[in-house]
Amino acid sequence: MIFSGQYGAVLTIDLHAIASNFRFLKSMSSSAECAAVVKCNAYGLGIKQVGQTLLREGCRAFFVASSSEALSLKRALLEIHKDFEIYILNGFERDFPEIYDTSIAPVLNSLEDIRRWVELSKSKRELLSAIANFDTGMNRLGLDKSETAEILGSSLSPDHSKISILMSHLACSEDPEHRLNHEQFRAFSSIVAKSKNRFRYSLANSGGVFLGKKYHFDLVRPGAALFGIGNFANRYTNLRQVVTLKAKILQTRSIDAGVTVGYGATQAVNRKSRLATVALGYGDGIFRGLTNAGFGYLSGYPAQIIGRVSMDLVTLDVTDIPQSLSQPGYWVEFIGEHQTPDSLAQRAGTIGYEVLTALGSRYERIYLGR
């Protein structure tokens, strides 16, 4: 099919698929509330469009990385509803008191975070309850062992600190057989017992949703699974693909055997070949790691990238594809029916998360289901 439009590449984001994925994840979450992790501009797909879609589906708890993301999401959600909670995963940032309101709260990752939150609590009449994050094996953010022992041995209570949820984060949940899943579950269960069930509890990220009911506690926090990426996306056919990326053929040419293609002359063809140059590159999130390794698809036919991926262009070997399907103005699929974000990522030596979050700003973006 020939597409019209002024852009060299088109990114289609299926909001219906995101809504369907949320419903499926919610159905898999036992009696736990299903939140949504929409950090990094909803994994690169648009925090406004994605956030509003999830809010309409009944999601009321959202997780972002930073204060600026929280403000962007809040503005978007207020356009359609006033009942929601936004939690900032990176903690009590310096500017938090300036953006404070009852819909935004930090995830508290240290005793210093908790101290500052308690001080703010004393100066406000009404506060959304915060979350305290305990490290149980990720060794990234969260209270460490000594801080955990200190805080659990103190007078911590919902009334005292406005903390209502205790959480931790699984490091290896995409691998259901990994021993660390069980070790973190035991460590978090100990925290639950020592806190005497006075709080709500949250452990499961996307992969944790599929580890079973005991990992769900009171709140699950899927992110990647909402967008159809991650190892579990291959195991659960109910999770729908969300993104389609197509780029336009700008020019075709025929070259002789032995001729090199692209910067650095990294690849020479071993036969007389026909090439198609396509309007996207690493400036659009098509990694240089796909040089001489990645594929685009024309009407289902695979066409290998030949030569280096450059900033704005990639070149495909279309020798074995009918010329009627590989002319200038025709479109090549890089993500879609024939290649998921995860399979593209595998060829580039990375993960689907990076593929989505690296998608550039030069695409025409089409949202289905707005």
Side-chain angles (χ1 to χ4, degrees):
M1 178 181 294
I2 299 179
F3 287 74
S4 62
Q6 63 183 13
Y7 294 86
V10 175
L11 179 68
T12 304
I13 299 159
D14 189 344
L15 299 175
H16 289 303
I18 293 173
S20 174
N21 290 344
F22 177 78
R23 291 193 296 270
F24 174 63
L25 290 161
K26 188 174 180 180
S27 75
M28 293 290 291
S29 301
S30 308
S31 59
E33 178 183 0
C34 188
V37 179
V38 291
K39 60 187 179 178
C40 198
N41 193 30
Y43 285 56
L45 302 184
I47 198 166
K48 177 178 180 178
Q49 296 84 352
V50 171
Q52 290 181 345
T53 296
L54 293 169
L55 191 66
R56 291 189 180 101
E57 281 299 316
C59 183
R60 293 295 180 266
F62 298 84
F63 288 80
V64 296
S66 66
S67 297
S68 60
E69 289 181 351
L71 287 176
S72 295
L73 179 60
K74 175 190 169 184
R75 286 192 293 268
L77 299 183
L78 282 175
E79 291 182 11
I80 58 174
H81 210 289
K82 294 183 179 180
D83 181 20
F84 55 83
E85 302 169 351
I86 301 172
Y87 296 100
I88 301 172
L89 289 164
N90 285 1
F92 196 102
E93 296 178 323
R94 185 180 301 275
D95 62 348
F96 183 81
E98 300 171 15
I99 71 160
Y100 152 78
D101 71 11
T102 56
S103 64
I104 300 175
V107 174
L108 307 174
N109 293 308
S110 66
L111 290 179
E112 177 61 18
D113 274 358
I114 292 175
R115 183 190 65 77
R116 294 170 65 193
W117 177 247
V118 171
E119 288 178 356
L120 184 61
S121 299
K122 292 176 181 178
S123 67
K124 304 290 184 181
R125 288 180 175 269
E126 184 181 17
L127 279 176
L128 177 70
S129 298
I131 296 178
N133 181 27
F134 295 81
D135 178 61
T136 57
M138 174 70 84
N139 290 308
R140 196 174 59 175
L141 290 177
L143 290 101
D144 62 22
K145 288 182 179 180
S146 62
E147 289 178 315
T148 296
E150 182 175 344
I151 200 68
L152 292 178
S154 71
S155 58
L156 178 66
S157 70
D159 291 336
H160 173 67
S161 65
K162 303 297 182 184
I163 295 172
S164 64
I165 300 175
L166 307 187
M167 67 168 271
S168 188
H169 193 71
L170 293 166
C172 302
S173 61
E174 286 196 18
D175 178 1
E177 304 303 321
H178 201 288
R179 61 175 179 78
L180 191 54
N181 293 325
H182 182 62
E183 291 175 8
Q184 288 192 263
F185 171 78
R186 285 194 305 170
F188 191 65
S189 296
S190 176
I191 291 169
V192 172
K194 290 176 182 177
S195 63
K196 300 179 181 178
N197 291 296
R198 293 177 295 175
F199 304 86
R200 297 176 71 210
Y201 301 93
S202 179
L203 178 62
N205 49 13
S206 285
V209 171
F210 302 108
L211 290 178
K213 182 177 180 179
K214 73 177 186 178
Y215 283 84
H216 296 165
F217 292 93
D218 301 298
L219 178 76
V220 299
R221 314 181 312 274
L226 289 170
F227 309 110
I229 59 173
N231 291 344
F232 31 80
N234 298 323
R235 301 197 304 269
Y236 294 90
T237 56
N238 303 71
L239 288 173
R240 294 170 55 183
Q241 291 298 317
V242 170
V243 169
T244 300
L245 174 61
K246 295 183 178 181
K248 188 184 296 183
I249 296 176
L250 299 177
Q251 191 178 64
T252 60
R253 70 180 62 241
S254 296
I255 60 174
D256 294 327
V259 172
T260 61
V261 181
Y263 282 122
T266 61
Q267 183 75 16
V269 298
N270 57 14
R271 59 176 176 168
K272 186 173 182 178
S273 300
R274 186 165 178 269
L275 308 180
T277 300
V278 181
L280 84 173
Y282 61 74
D284 307 291
I286 301 299
F287 305 114
R288 288 185 86 222
L290 292 167
T291 293
N292 302 317
F295 287 83
Y297 290 81
L298 293 89
S299 300
Y301 289 93
Q304 185 171 351
I305 293 174
I306 184 168
R308 281 185 183 164
V309 174
S310 54
M311 184 181 294
D312 314 297
L313 303 169
V314 294
T315 304
L316 304 175
D317 184 343
V318 295
T319 308
D320 297 324
I321 298 175
Q323 290 193 27
S324 61
L325 300 176
S326 55
Q327 294 292 327
Y330 278 67
W331 291 71
V332 183
E333 173 198 303
F334 285 86
I335 300 175
E337 179 184 358
H338 301 95
Q339 185 163 243
T340 68
D342 290 315
S343 58
L344 178 68
Q346 187 176 22
R347 289 190 171 115
T350 183
I351 57 176
Y353 301 62
E354 188 176 12
V355 168
L356 291 192
T357 58
L359 293 173
S361 59
R362 296 191 291 184
Y363 302 122
E364 178 182 7
R365 289 188 172 223
I366 299 174
Y367 287 92
L368 304 180
R370 288 183 72 173

